[in-house]
Amino acid sequence: MTTILLYGTLRKGVSMLKILFDGICMSAADSIPGVSGSTVAFILGFYDEFITSLHNCVNKDKTLRNKAIIYILKLLPGWTIGMVLSVLILASVIENYCYLLSSIFMGLTIASIPFLIIQEKDVLSQKYRHIAFVFLGIAASVAMYFIRDLFAIEVINFHTLSRSQYIYIFIVCAIGMAIMLLPGISGSAFLLVCGVYTPLITAAKDLLYLDFSVLPGIALGCAGMLTGSVLSIKSVKEFIEKHRGAAMYLILGFILGSLYAIIQAPSIRENPLPPLSFATFSISGFIGGAASLTLLELIKFRNDRCKAKKQ
């Protein structure tokens, strides 16, 4: 009897550690432009459970809703630990090695393009009529960089946000969270394009050091993310399923357009620097970023093959 109880306790402990590890990996990926936390969730095998749980958090069935909330609450500590560690590391890198970081982001972003094309080759090859959406995605991505001027947002400082900037942060975080829920698409890249990523990471670091002046902006950003996840969990999935060809071409265009924001990223810091150039570009950073994403995709490919063989 004692052995059975010990085995049961050990099994629960291993399960909790697995969920903790899942949360850490997912949040670490979510914090990096070019990498999707949902892709990591897919690779580690808990994406379906995660998406289903998010959907069931607002389910009318009390049993399903309670089960989903319990799972999300179990995932939350690991996600929080991963995000805190990522913020501390990234904030320091952004401050001291912004050109290296931009080069890494560029490597991650460019490497994601062939993998997206390979993954969706059947859809893309049959939907050439939607190719115009590539140019629409590029235009929308680059335009987003300039739209900030309409909100008087050249550089966001979470210590001194205006009313229009609060609204802007809420909307951008809501859309960014909706994007994060889709495997292969980086919500952080969207935040970077919109000029929110670097200020948000810096503000999160300041909050960790008990500077509460940034709390209203961060709280509103979190509210936007929560709103985005609740509103998009069903509608985004349905849009992708019903209009996958157009959606994939649009995503491809958005990825290409986000390269402009990565080049301009050093110039939208609180202490602006010249945009990324050939002189400041880091080849090693670029290769490291591309290699990291390639490794993730190879692991995903291996997992997909193993699942196919079992079926």
Side-chain angles (χ1 to χ4, degrees):
M1 185 67 178
T2 304
T3 304
I4 295 174
L5 289 173
L6 183 62
Y7 176 75
T9 303
L10 183 61
R11 190 174 179 181
K12 286 182 180 179
V14 171
S15 177
M16 284 299 297
L17 287 174
K18 172 66 167 58
I19 294 175
L20 184 72
F21 177 76
D22 288 344
I24 291 173
C25 292
M26 188 176 187
S27 64
D30 274 331
S31 65
I32 302 172
V35 182
S36 166
S38 293
T39 296
V40 171
F42 191 86
I43 290 169
L44 295 177
F46 69 96
Y47 176 74
D48 288 336
E49 186 175 7
F50 170 66
I51 289 295
T52 301
S53 295
L54 276 181
H55 186 269
N56 286 340
C57 280
V58 292
N59 198 301
K60 293 180 180 180
D61 187 314
K62 186 177 180 180
T63 303
L64 289 176
R65 187 171 67 248
N66 289 343
K67 183 180 178 181
I69 291 173
I70 289 172
Y71 176 77
I72 296 299
L73 289 176
K74 286 180 179 178
L75 196 65
L76 191 58
W79 193 92
T80 304
I81 292 171
M83 186 56 68
V84 169
L85 291 175
S86 298
V87 164
L88 291 174
I89 294 170
L90 286 169
S92 176
V93 174
I94 287 171
E95 186 175 343
N96 300 303
Y97 305 99
C98 69
Y99 290 120
L100 172 64
L101 196 63
S102 292
S103 301
I104 292 172
F105 290 167
M106 184 168 285
L108 287 165
T109 302
I110 291 179
S112 70
I113 295 171
F115 288 115
L116 175 63
I117 293 173
I118 292 170
Q119 180 179 313
E120 301 293 336
K121 62 180 179 180
D122 293 336
V123 174
L124 295 174
S125 63
Q126 296 172 11
K127 303 289 183 179
Y128 287 128
R129 67 180 183 276
H130 294 313
I131 201 168
F133 282 92
V134 173
F135 302 101
L136 179 62
I138 293 172
S141 185
V142 174
M144 186 63 68
Y145 180 84
F146 294 102
I147 284 174
R148 291 172 299 165
D149 294 339
L150 298 177
F151 292 85
I153 302 171
E154 290 187 0
V155 177
I156 294 175
N157 186 333
F158 273 70
H159 295 276
T160 57
L161 292 172
S162 65
R163 183 180 299 177
S164 60
Q165 288 174 333
Y166 276 115
I167 297 171
Y168 181 78
I169 288 170
F170 179 86
I171 294 172
V172 167
C173 287
I175 298 174
M177 187 62 196
I179 292 172
M180 284 181 187
L181 296 177
L182 298 170
I185 311 172
S186 173
S188 296
F190 178 78
L191 298 183
L192 182 66
V193 169
C194 298
V196 173
Y197 175 78
T198 300
L200 182 59
I201 291 291
T202 304
K205 183 207 72 173
D206 291 342
L207 183 61
L208 290 174
Y209 286 106
L210 304 181
D211 183 348
F212 295 106
S213 64
V214 298
L215 185 57
I218 291 177
L220 195 66
C222 291
M225 291 180 184
L226 180 61
T227 302
S229 63
V230 171
L231 294 179
S232 66
I233 189 64
K234 186 176 180 180
S235 58
V236 171
K237 286 181 68 177
E238 287 183 351
F239 174 75
I240 294 293
E241 289 170 0
K242 293 179 180 179
H243 308 283
R244 193 167 188 86
M248 290 304 107
Y249 276 113
L250 186 65
I251 290 168
L252 186 59
F254 182 78
I255 292 172
L256 288 168
S258 69
L259 293 173
Y260 179 78
I262 293 172
I263 292 171
Q264 296 295 329
S267 68
I268 56 175
R269 296 164 14 122
E270 188 175 356
N271 300 310
L273 293 171
L276 184 68
S277 65
F278 287 111
T280 54
F281 178 72
S282 170
I283 296 177
S284 59
F286 177 86
I287 293 174
S292 298
L293 188 65
T294 300
L295 179 61
L296 283 175
E297 291 293 340
L298 289 175
I299 294 172
K300 178 176 176 291
F301 176 73
R302 181 177 175 276
N303 289 346
D304 290 344
R305 287 191 65 182
C306 289
K307 287 180 181 178
K309 286 181 180 179
K310 288 180 181 179
Q311 293 175 354

